[in-house]
Amino acid sequence: MTDIFFEAAVEEARKGYAEGGIPIGSVLMHDGKILGRGHNKRVQQGSPTLHGEMDALENAGRLPAKVYRESVLYTTLSPCPMCTGAILLYGIPKVVIGENSTFMGEEELLKSRGVEVVVLNDEECRRLMNEFISTKPELWKEDIGE
């Protein structure tokens, strides 16, 4: 069975890559509906902070705290420290991750704070990231702060 919310995050990653950016997508889901979706736009918008998760949260707009505490964040790549901080700040209880072999984010921190972390080990997410990292290693290093 295909998870339509995860598929929407993968669509966002593809979109970002097609725009010349970093192929990471994310979706914020609440009560069976997508509240916000986005992709990494650091390249496209010259932003230091517009990772996929941050874009999805931004596109969801202001929400009551209760909504975040009942939501699921889908992301194609393990969340970095900045995105992890936003997940913790808003009390999002569950994160579904496409893959974590090309980059291991702060999953242990999320788990230590009671967030349910599900890693799908998705082949397409891994393929997109490996292709991006091999063709644009300098841009990738910039994105992860190296």
Side-chain angles (χ1 to χ4, degrees):
M1 183 176 134
T2 303
D3 184 323
I4 61 168
F5 305 109
F6 177 68
E7 283 303 313
V10 174
E11 264 178 45
E12 288 291 328
R14 286 188 209 113
K15 187 176 179 183
Y17 198 35
E19 294 170 355
I22 300 159
I24 303 167
S26 186
V27 166
L28 182 67
M29 184 275 290
H30 176 262
D31 199 24
K33 296 181 191 90
I34 294 175
L35 298 181
R37 58 189 296 157
H39 54 275
N40 187 304
K41 292 181 181 161
R42 292 185 69 250
V43 173
Q44 299 92 315
Q45 295 190 11
S47 169
T49 57
L50 209 46
H51 284 192
E53 299 91 336
M54 303 303 272
D55 192 36
L57 290 169
E58 179 70 22
N59 290 330
R62 286 180 60 196
L63 299 168
K66 177 183 184 320
V67 173
Y68 292 113
R69 290 192 305 265
E70 298 171 346
S71 294
V72 177
L73 185 76
Y74 290 79
T75 181
T76 58
L77 187 65
S78 188
C80 76
M82 176 179 65
C83 297
T84 294
I87 292 163
L88 294 174
L89 176 68
Y90 292 107
I92 298 169
K94 182 176 180 179
V95 179
V96 177
I97 299 167
E99 66 98 0
N100 61 8
S101 63
T102 59
F103 177 78
M104 174 56 79
E106 297 296 328
E107 293 175 28
E108 290 307 315
L109 176 57
L110 289 169
K111 291 176 187 175
S112 77
R113 297 288 195 90
V115 176
E116 180 184 353
V117 175
V118 177
V119 180
L120 301 176
N121 294 310
D122 182 77
E123 185 55 41
E124 182 176 4
C125 292
R126 194 172 16 260
R127 182 191 58 74
L128 275 170
M129 285 307 302
N130 280 325
E131 184 177 313
F132 171 77
I133 291 167
S134 69
T135 58
K136 298 185 179 179
E138 297 80 19
L139 186 54
W140 172 238
K141 287 178 182 173
E142 175 191 320
D143 193 61
I144 58 173
E146 288 184 3

